[in-house]
PDB file of all heavy atoms in Angstrom:
ATOM      1  N   THR M  35      98.616 120.740  89.887  1.00  0.00           N
ATOM      2  CA  THR M  35      99.380 119.739  89.151  1.00  0.00           C
ATOM      3  C   THR M  35      99.008 118.375  89.725  1.00  0.00           C
ATOM      4  O   THR M  35      99.039 118.183  90.944  1.00  0.00           O
ATOM      5  CB  THR M  35     100.891 119.979  89.319  1.00  0.00           C
ATOM      6  OG1 THR M  35     101.188 121.299  88.854  1.00  0.00           O
ATOM      7  CG2 THR M  35     101.701 118.958  88.544  1.00  0.00           C
ATOM      8  N   VAL M  56      99.398 116.897  98.600  1.00  0.00           N
ATOM      9  CA  VAL M  56      98.250 116.106  99.028  1.00  0.00           C
ATOM     10  C   VAL M  56      98.173 114.836  98.183  1.00  0.00           C
ATOM     11  O   VAL M  56      98.438 114.862  96.986  1.00  0.00           O
ATOM     12  CB  VAL M  56      96.932 116.923  98.959  1.00  0.00           C
ATOM     13  CG1 VAL M  56      96.615 117.347  97.549  1.00  0.00           C
ATOM     14  CG2 VAL M  56      95.780 116.195  99.595  1.00  0.00           C
ATOM     15  N   ASN M  86      99.738 113.808 104.658  1.00  0.00           N
ATOM     16  CA  ASN M  86      98.975 114.508 103.626  1.00  0.00           C
ATOM     17  C   ASN M  86      98.051 113.580 102.835  1.00  0.00           C
ATOM     18  O   ASN M  86      97.718 113.845 101.696  1.00  0.00           O
ATOM     19  CB  ASN M  86      99.921 115.235 102.676  1.00  0.00           C
ATOM     20  CG  ASN M  86     100.913 114.299 102.000  1.00  0.00           C
ATOM     21  OD1 ASN M  86     101.097 113.156 102.410  1.00  0.00           O
ATOM     22  ND2 ASN M  86     101.559 114.788 100.955  1.00  0.00           N
ATOM     23  N   VAL M  88      94.515 111.883 101.941  1.00  0.00           N
ATOM     24  CA  VAL M  88      93.071 112.085 102.001  1.00  0.00           C
ATOM     25  C   VAL M  88      92.427 110.872 101.329  1.00  0.00           C
ATOM     26  O   VAL M  88      92.910 110.395 100.304  1.00  0.00           O
ATOM     27  CB  VAL M  88      92.660 113.429 101.345  1.00  0.00           C
ATOM     28  CG1 VAL M  88      93.106 113.521  99.919  1.00  0.00           C
ATOM     29  CG2 VAL M  88      91.191 113.673 101.477  1.00  0.00           C
ATOM     30  N   ALA M 107      87.569 102.452 103.434  1.00  0.00           N
ATOM     31  CA  ALA M 107      87.999 103.855 103.391  1.00  0.00           C
ATOM     32  C   ALA M 107      88.127 104.413 104.811  1.00  0.00           C
ATOM     33  O   ALA M 107      89.088 105.114 105.124  1.00  0.00           O
ATOM     34  CB  ALA M 107      87.020 104.683 102.566  1.00  0.00           C
TER      35      ALA M 107
END
Side-chain angles (χ1 to χ4, degrees):
T35 302
V56 63
N86 58 345
V88 58

